[in-house]
Amino acid sequence: MKLLATFLLVWLGHSNAEGQVHYEGSATQASVLNAFEEDPNFDFWSRPRIFDAPVDIMVTPAAQQMFEDTMRSNGLDYRILIDNVEETVQAEKVRLRKASTVVAGEVTFEEFMRHDEINAYLLRLGEDYPDIVKTEVIGKSFEGRDLVLVRISSGGTNKTTIFMDAAIHAREWIAPSMALYIINQLVENPNNTDLYEDIDWAIIPVANPDGYEYTHTTARLWRKTRSPGTICYGVDPNRNFDYMWMGAGASDWQCSYIYAGYTAFSEVETQALRDYLMAYKDDIKLYIAIHSYGQYIIFPWGYTSALPDDNDELVAVGERVNAAISAVNGTTYCIGTSTNMLGTAAGCSDDYAKGAVGIELSYCLELPGGGTAGFDPPASRIQPIVEETWEGFKAYHAYIKEKFVDGVY
Ligand SMILES: *[C@@H]1O[C@H](CO)[C@@H](O)[C@H](O)[C@H]1NC(C)=O
Ligand SMILES: *[C@@H]1O[C@H](CO)[C@@H](O)[C@H](O)[C@H]1NC(C)=O
Ligand SMILES: *[C@@H]1O[C@H](CO)[C@@H](O)[C@H](O)[C@H]1NC(C)=O
Ligand SMILES: [Zn+2]
């Protein structure tokens, strides 16, 4: 058995750039990587624990030599995937500077939208489709941005609800595009009215807007919130939820990419999600956190390798979703628990939704990444990705309808 790993060797911030490395080794050697996880010199873009899957790591120039020495002395093989991440970021910036195609109040899948453009679209939908679209500000970010949630409903209260959030990790730009496509298809494509007939959709396209905007203005690869610590900024909001908080796969070091915060729910953004999930806990039957990248359909637990009691059902639904997506153009996803697919991540939102809120069907979807193009796919890939993945969301809906509306199971 082989563990393929892709390492990105790169500087963070302004220092001289290095690059990315790609790498192959035996499965047992994977544990060598764990030591690097909390160190801010190492940014795990994607870190599967399963065999034959690549691990992508961005490494600062300062740590590159030590990293390569460690790899070699442990017999781990690697190769550079992106030699200089800053160059891909700069190339993306040049592309982004081209005239924006965003029309005020409209959505586009030809480029990654800014937070204010996204909110303008959501508010416009609320005005144009008052019978089915309700926008709600469920809280403010640390820097005071509105956390906007859209509920799409045929009317009535206490309806079976599918809840989704995206971009809780700031740099995962394909995630809000996905959320927006779901909203766009539900509201503006008359073919899809049956999808909200019996089931409500509650969607937050940008759950961490401060971080998201920061990735557009300042640091493309920012992941966390923007609340200040004493030395470093930001908390990993997907380690900040109060279920097995600060357990395995979370860091108490404030400069770490996986810093879980000084306490559970230290972040106003995660508090807002918590309050909404708790308020509608009886209605929400499916929770999906939209992330990138790696093409994974994962589910609890993230704090332990033990399987949930309903593992078989979670796998079966994941397989339906994967089948629907891959039928479009062959894109496949790996299915399993977070810990067993990617490694521990205590305090993540899908664990909280299942373990603390009681939403049994709780998932995290890792959308496709950009490969050698950088963290996210280039903007030209947004449309094909959201189109094919939408078929997966329809499959999720079909299952929820069968189980909770039609009572098939
Ligand atoms: C409907 O939802 C509201 C708000 O979540 C809740 O207070 C109420 O008890 C629910 N009613 C029923 C019949 O479940
Ligand atoms: C609605 O469905 C019809 C029939 O399948 C199709 O031709 C049409 O393009 C669809 N409309 C949209 C907006 O997707
Ligand atoms: C479909 O898959 C092929 C092979 O991977 C790829 O070259 C092509 O770009 C894909 N098309 C779309 C629309 O995603
Ligand atoms: Zn993420």
Side-chain angles (χ1 to χ4, degrees), residues 328-331 381 383-385 387-388:
V328 180
N329 193 36
T331 304
R381 292 289 307 154
Q383 184 79 37
I385 289 172
E387 267 181 27
E388 69 180 16

Side-chain angles (χ1 to χ4, degrees), residues 185 189-191:
Q185 285 300 302
N189 184 342
N191 289 354

Side-chain angles (χ1 to χ4, degrees), residues 11-260:
W11 80 104
L12 301 168
H14 326 286
S15 45
N16 291 330
E18 288 301 338
Q20 266 187 341
V21 173
H22 187 97
Y23 161 93
E24 300 179 14
S26 79
T28 49
Q29 293 162 328
S31 60
V32 173
L33 300 179
N34 296 357
F36 293 115
E37 223 178 343
E38 284 188 58
D39 184 335
N41 283 306
F42 303 93
D43 178 4
F44 284 62
W45 286 13
S46 155
R47 46 152 211 174
R49 286 284 154 87
I50 53 175
F51 302 130
D52 294 327
V55 176
D56 298 355
I57 306 176
M58 186 170 75
V59 183
T60 62
Q64 182 173 357
Q65 191 61 52
M66 180 270 278
F67 177 78
E68 292 196 66
D69 289 348
T70 308
M71 294 301 106
R72 275 193 292 268
S73 62
N74 287 281
L76 285 158
D77 203 4
Y78 59 87
R79 77 172 168 85
I80 294 176
L81 182 66
I82 300 175
D83 190 47
N84 181 330
V85 170
E86 182 63 18
E87 275 174 11
T88 66
V89 169
Q90 291 307 330
E92 186 175 43
K93 271 197 184 143
V94 170
R95 281 195 303 274
L96 292 175
R97 250 183 250 121
K98 296 215 176 87
S100 169
T101 62
V102 182
V103 177
E106 295 300 326
V107 72
T108 182
F109 302 102
E110 287 168 21
E111 61 184 90
F112 297 105
M113 293 171 73
R114 298 292 292 268
H115 183 241
D116 57 349
E117 295 168 338
I118 292 170
N119 282 355
Y121 174 62
L122 303 179
L123 295 178
R124 202 273 293 168
L125 288 183
E127 285 163 13
D128 286 0
Y129 303 88
D131 295 340
I132 54 169
V133 179
K134 284 197 172 47
T135 59
E136 189 182 336
V137 177
I138 63 158
K140 296 267 189 192
S141 69
F142 180 81
E143 293 175 352
R145 294 184 175 86
D146 285 347
L147 299 168
V148 180
L149 174 140
V150 180
R151 181 176 282 266
I152 299 159
S153 172
S154 62
T157 54
N158 303 78
K159 304 272 290 280
T160 298
T161 301
I162 296 172
F163 180 97
M164 285 184 263
D165 58 73
I168 198 166
H169 281 148
R171 63 194 179 187
E172 299 169 2
W173 287 4
I174 191 70
S177 295
M178 186 70 244
L180 289 169
Y181 192 74
I182 295 164
I183 293 165
N184 167 256
Q185 285 300 302
L186 289 170
V187 177
E188 302 198 280
N189 184 342
N191 289 354
N192 294 325
T193 53
D194 57 322
L195 295 176
Y196 57 84
E197 189 56 42
D198 305 302
I199 292 171
D200 283 10
W201 301 68
I203 304 173
I204 305 176
V206 187
N208 172 13
D210 297 349
Y212 184 71
E213 280 302 296
Y214 195 68
T215 63
H216 283 269
T217 59
T218 312
R220 173 65 183 86
L221 295 167
W222 191 256
R223 164 185 167 97
K224 303 192 285 180
T225 59
R226 289 297 299 162
S227 58
T230 50
I231 305 170
C232 287
Y233 275 80
V235 167
D236 182 343
N238 207 35
R239 299 291 185 278
N240 192 232
F241 287 80
D242 194 8
Y243 189 74
M244 304 296 165
W245 177 79
M246 203 58 90
S251 174
D252 59 5
W253 169 230
Q254 60 175 274
C255 298
S256 169
Y257 286 92
I258 53 170
Y259 175 46

Side-chain angles (χ1 to χ4, degrees), residues 157-158 278-283:
T157 54
N158 303 78
M278 281 300 185
Y280 294 94
K281 68 202 288 280
D282 295 335
D283 301 339

